[in-house]
């Protein structure tokens, strides 16, 4: 069985070389080489101060990935064409394994928490694990592996991955909306509804903007719900609107690059903000 696996591995490697493609070599926590795992566990049992089973398996994961990479090198793949991936389902395991990999090799590394789960649990776990590694400069490509709800698409995986990279300032994919969470000063839900609608508006316009303007994905919009933090946060964004909170005058000042340019009020506020955003994009970003 081992020889057959080696032959299959070699065939894949040679195909990648022939077509001049990089090759991703993945090692999974759930299917480690049993011979290597047992050998390292036996060595650990004889050690004066044995490590935990978890620590041994982490080191086996790293060793297995590096051995596979070296085997691929003997078949002719160059170092710059190899991407390593070590799949674990635990946040601390992923961090420890990739820190060890980064310290021992120069291969490109693909990050991803496998079997992360559904919904909030999977999003939070993946964001924490990959965020820590990316902030340390570890990782070249990523995937957020989420279990989709029945009948749902996998687009959420892509959106979460984009948000992780954009939140860290590593990449920009779409304009960012800053909005406050709400508090006792914001009994109205209007600012939350407006933030959602403006986010949707920019997401829908983004394919057209991206084709026409350079750098538009770096646009920052602030939608704030009262006068306490509203004006200050609005001034930090490219475009900001500070909506009235509880007991405040029913007016909404709009800021462009930190300067107040107008005050909106009334039923046309939403459509006027669409116009403000569209005008900003056409006037502040160079055409391609």
């Amino acid at each position: 069985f081992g020889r057959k696996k080696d032959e299959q591995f070699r065939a894949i490697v040679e195909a990648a070389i022939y077509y001049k493609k990089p090759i991703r070599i993945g090692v999974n926590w759930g299917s480690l080489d049993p011979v290597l795992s047992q050998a390292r566990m036996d060595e650990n049992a004889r050690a004066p101060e044995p490590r935990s089973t978890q620590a041994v398996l982490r080191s086996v994961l790293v060793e297995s990935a590096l051995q596979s990479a070296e085997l691929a090198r003997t078949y002719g793949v160059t170092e710059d064409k190899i991407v390593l991936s070590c799949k674990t389902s635990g946040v601390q395991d992923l961090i420890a394994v990739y820190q060890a990999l980064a310290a021992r090799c120069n291969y490109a590394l693909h990050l991803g928490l496998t079997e992360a789960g559904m919904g909030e649990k999977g999003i939070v776990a993946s964001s924490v694990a990959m965020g820590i590694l990316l902030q340390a400069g570890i990782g070249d490509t990523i995937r957020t592996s989420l279990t989709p709800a029945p009948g749902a698409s996998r687009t959420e995986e892509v959106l979460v991955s984009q948000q992780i990279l954009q939140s860290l300032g590593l990449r920009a994919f779409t304009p960012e909306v800053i909005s406050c969470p709400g508090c006792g000063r914001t009994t109205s839900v209007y600012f939350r509804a407006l933030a959602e609608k403006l986010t949707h508006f920019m997401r829908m316009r983004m394919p057209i903007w991206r084709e026409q303007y350079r750098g538009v994905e770096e646009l920052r919009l602030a939608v704030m719900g009262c006068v306490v933090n509203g004006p200050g946060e609005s001034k930090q964004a490219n475009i900001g609107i500070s909506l009235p909170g509880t007991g405040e005058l029913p007016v909404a000042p709009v800021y462009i690059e930190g300067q107040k340019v107008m005050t909106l009020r009334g039923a046309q506020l939403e459509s006027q903000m669409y116009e403000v955003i569209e005008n900003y994009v056409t006037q502040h970003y160079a055409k391609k």
Side-chain angles (χ1 to χ4, degrees), residues 150-227:
S153 72
R154 292 190 175 274
T155 56
E156 188 178 26
E157 291 189 354
V158 178
L159 296 176
V160 172
S161 295
Q162 290 178 340
Q163 283 300 314
I164 291 172
L165 296 175
Q166 186 153 333
S167 296
L168 290 168
L170 298 174
R171 292 282 300 276
F173 297 94
T174 188
E176 182 177 7
V177 177
I178 304 162
S179 58
C180 60
C183 65
R185 295 186 298 273
T186 55
T187 53
S188 170
V189 297
Y190 181 71
F191 82 93
R192 282 173 276 176
L194 182 62
E196 183 178 16
K197 289 178 179 179
L198 294 179
T199 299
H200 179 74
F201 169 76
M202 293 193 295
R203 190 176 296 279
M204 293 300 100
R205 293 291 294 152
M206 193 58 198
I208 297 173
W209 289 343
R210 187 182 289 115
E211 290 294 321
Q212 296 179 348
Y213 302 101
R214 293 188 180 91
V216 68
E217 61 275 1
E218 298 177 1
L219 171 65
R220 286 168 57 88
L221 170 69
V223 181
M224 308 303 293
C226 74
V227 297

Side-chain angles (χ1 to χ4, degrees), residues 7-272:
E7 291 173 354
Q8 293 172 338
F9 181 72
R10 180 166 190 163
I12 294 170
V13 170
E14 290 177 344
I17 295 172
Y18 179 81
Y19 289 105
K20 299 180 180 179
K21 301 294 184 181
I23 183 168
R24 192 174 84 189
I25 298 173
V27 182
N28 196 301
W29 186 268
S31 55
L32 285 172
D33 181 344
V35 176
L36 179 61
S37 298
Q38 189 59 55
R40 296 298 177 259
M41 293 296 288
D42 291 344
E43 291 174 4
N44 185 62
R46 295 191 295 269
E49 296 183 9
R51 297 180 294 163
S52 68
T53 299
Q54 192 89 342
V56 174
L57 291 178
R58 287 173 178 173
S59 65
V60 171
L61 200 64
V62 173
E63 185 177 356
S64 181
L66 294 176
Q67 284 183 356
S68 295
E70 288 308 303
L71 181 59
R73 295 284 298 276
T74 66
Y75 296 150
V77 178
T78 55
E79 182 181 59
D80 64 319
K81 292 292 187 180
I82 293 175
V83 182
L84 294 186
S85 173
C86 288
K87 296 296 186 69
T88 78
S89 56
V91 171
Q92 295 293 351
D93 293 323
L94 192 80
I95 294 169
V97 165
Y98 276 91
Q99 286 174 336
L101 265 179
R104 292 182 58 180
C105 73
N106 293 317
Y107 298 118
L109 302 179
H110 173 73
L111 307 184
L113 197 67
T114 189
E115 300 154 3
M118 298 182 70
E120 294 176 356
K121 184 266 181 186
I123 292 172
V124 171
S126 294
S127 299
V128 170
M130 292 193 287
I132 289 172
L133 291 168
L134 290 167
Q135 184 64 20
I138 298 172
D140 300 278
T141 62
I142 70 170
R143 179 189 173 185
T144 304
S145 299
L146 301 175
T147 303
S153 72
R154 292 190 175 274
T155 56
E156 188 178 26
E157 291 189 354
V158 178
L159 296 176
V160 172
S161 295
Q162 290 178 340
Q163 283 300 314
I164 291 172
L165 296 175
Q166 186 153 333
S167 296
L168 290 168
L170 298 174
R171 292 282 300 276
F173 297 94
T174 188
E176 182 177 7
V177 177
I178 304 162
S179 58
C180 60
C183 65
R185 295 186 298 273
T186 55
T187 53
S188 170
V189 297
Y190 181 71
F191 82 93
R192 282 173 276 176
L194 182 62
E196 183 178 16
K197 289 178 179 179
L198 294 179
T199 299
H200 179 74
F201 169 76
M202 293 193 295
R203 190 176 296 279
M204 293 300 100
R205 293 291 294 152
M206 193 58 198
I208 297 173
W209 289 343
R210 187 182 289 115
E211 290 294 321
Q212 296 179 348
Y213 302 101
R214 293 188 180 91
V216 68
E217 61 275 1
E218 298 177 1
L219 171 65
R220 286 168 57 88
L221 170 69
V223 181
M224 308 303 293
C226 74
V227 297
V228 176
N229 294 319
E233 290 289 348
S234 294
K235 290 179 181 179
Q236 298 300 313
N238 301 116
I239 306 170
I241 182 170
S242 179
L243 295 162
T246 305
E248 297 173 6
L249 292 174
V251 296
V254 175
Y255 300 84
I256 301 291
E257 301 295 352
Q259 301 298 315
K260 181 180 175 181
V261 296
M262 67 182 74
T263 299
L264 303 181
R265 55 173 59 82
Q268 301 303 313
L269 189 149
E270 181 184 324
S271 61
Q272 289 173 329

